[in-house]
């Protein structure tokens, strides 16, 4: 067969194969995710929001800004417009971590260390978080109203029934010490009185000796 006839046939075959492959690959619908984070009704000024897919897919996350808002992105997202970064549609488990400011740094001139966590412990892990959201194609806006972390117990706060020094508050005072001069058997017995018969016999012997 003439080689000039083979070339058009090869181009047609490649085009058909490309169309067949494209039809068999489902397209992924995408959406943007923005919102705010609040604790006790007040906007926070820092933190991290993470969306972990329930089934499969990439994890999306975003930092909470000083005005309490956040925008999710996968990887670097849209560098020029982070709010336009797109996330695959689907169901997600949401985790949120917000820390208090800290004055400590990692070494001299290093980055600041995170302060104590002010959001409840359950929001820090996908295994315990009760926050779930479904991302739809298009724009999604989610506001999260979170619980504050319980205050840590201090040394001055003792459990019920105990005093700060660790002694039981319900413990009864001890019995008073035994009075001086008393033994376990009781007070000392008084000395017996002298027998008058023995005294008379002694006097008689002394008189006989003098006679």
């Amino acid at each position: 067969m003439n080689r000039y006839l083979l070339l058009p046939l090869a181009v047609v075959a490649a085009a058909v194969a490309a169309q067949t492959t494209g039809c068999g690959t489902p397209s992924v619908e995408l959406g943007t995710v923005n919102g705010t984070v609040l604790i006790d009704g007040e906007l926070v000024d820092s933190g991290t929001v993470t969306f972990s897919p329930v089934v499969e897919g990439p994890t999306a996350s975003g930092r909470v800004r000083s005005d309490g808002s956040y925008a999710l992105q996968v990887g670097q997202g849209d560098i020029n417009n982070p709010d336009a970064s797109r996330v695959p549609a689907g169901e997600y488990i949401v985790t949120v971590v917000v820390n208090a400011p800290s004055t400590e740094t990692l070494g001299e001139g290093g980055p600041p260390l995170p302060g104590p966590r002010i959001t409840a412990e359950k929001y820090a892990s996908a295994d315990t978080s009760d926050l779930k959201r479904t991302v739809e194609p298009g724009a999604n806006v989610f506001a999260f109203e979170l619980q504050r972390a319980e205050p840590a117990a201090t040394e001055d706060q003792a459990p019920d029934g105990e005093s700060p020094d660790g002694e039981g508050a319900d413990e009864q005072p001890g019995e008073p010490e035994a009075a001086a001069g008393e033994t376990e058997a009781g007070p000392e017995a008084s000395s017996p009185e002298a027998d008058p018969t023995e005294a008379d016999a002694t006097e008689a012997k002394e008189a006989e000796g003098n006679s």
Side-chain angles (χ1 to χ4, degrees):
M1 183 179 293
N2 193 315
R3 63 178 181 175
Y4 295 104
L5 295 177
L6 290 176
L7 183 59
L9 292 176
V11 173
V12 173
V16 172
Q19 291 178 358
T20 303
T21 303
C23 293
T25 303
S27 60
V28 177
E29 296 182 304
L30 303 173
T32 59
V33 179
N34 301 271
T36 54
V37 178
L38 303 93
I39 298 180
D40 296 339
E42 297 182 359
L43 292 168
V44 301
D45 58 4
S46 64
T48 303
V49 180
T50 303
F51 276 46
S52 301
V54 173
V55 181
E56 62 180 6
T59 298
S61 63
R63 291 191 175 276
V64 181
R65 305 174 182 129
S66 58
D67 62 353
S69 66
Y70 71 91
L72 293 187
Q73 59 188 37
V74 176
Q76 294 184 346
D78 189 335
I79 299 177
N80 297 325
N81 186 8
D83 289 347
S85 298
R86 297 187 296 172
V87 176
E91 295 183 0
Y92 291 84
I93 299 176
V94 184
T95 56
V96 184
V97 175
V98 179
N99 295 90
S102 174
T103 57
E104 299 181 1
T105 60
L106 184 61
E108 185 176 357
L113 294 174
R117 186 177 299 163
I118 61 176
T119 45
E121 184 71 22
K122 65 179 180 179
Y123 301 128
S125 171
D127 295 330
T128 57
S129 177
D130 55 2
L131 303 175
K132 293 184 178 181
R133 295 293 186 272
T134 299
V135 175
E136 303 287 351
N140 298 264
V141 179
F142 300 123
F144 294 103
E145 175 72 41
L146 307 180
Q147 299 174 2
R148 187 176 296 274
E150 296 181 0
T154 62
E155 294 181 358
D156 295 335
Q157 297 175 340
D160 294 340
E162 292 188 7
S163 59
D165 57 2
E167 296 181 357
D170 298 334
E171 184 180 352
Q172 299 298 327
E175 295 293 336
E177 296 181 0
E182 294 185 359
T183 63
E184 295 181 357
E188 295 182 358
S190 60
S191 59
E193 296 181 358
D195 189 355
T197 304
E198 293 180 359
D200 293 342
T202 302
E203 291 178 359
K205 290 180 180 181
E206 290 178 356
E208 292 178 356
N210 296 329
S211 60

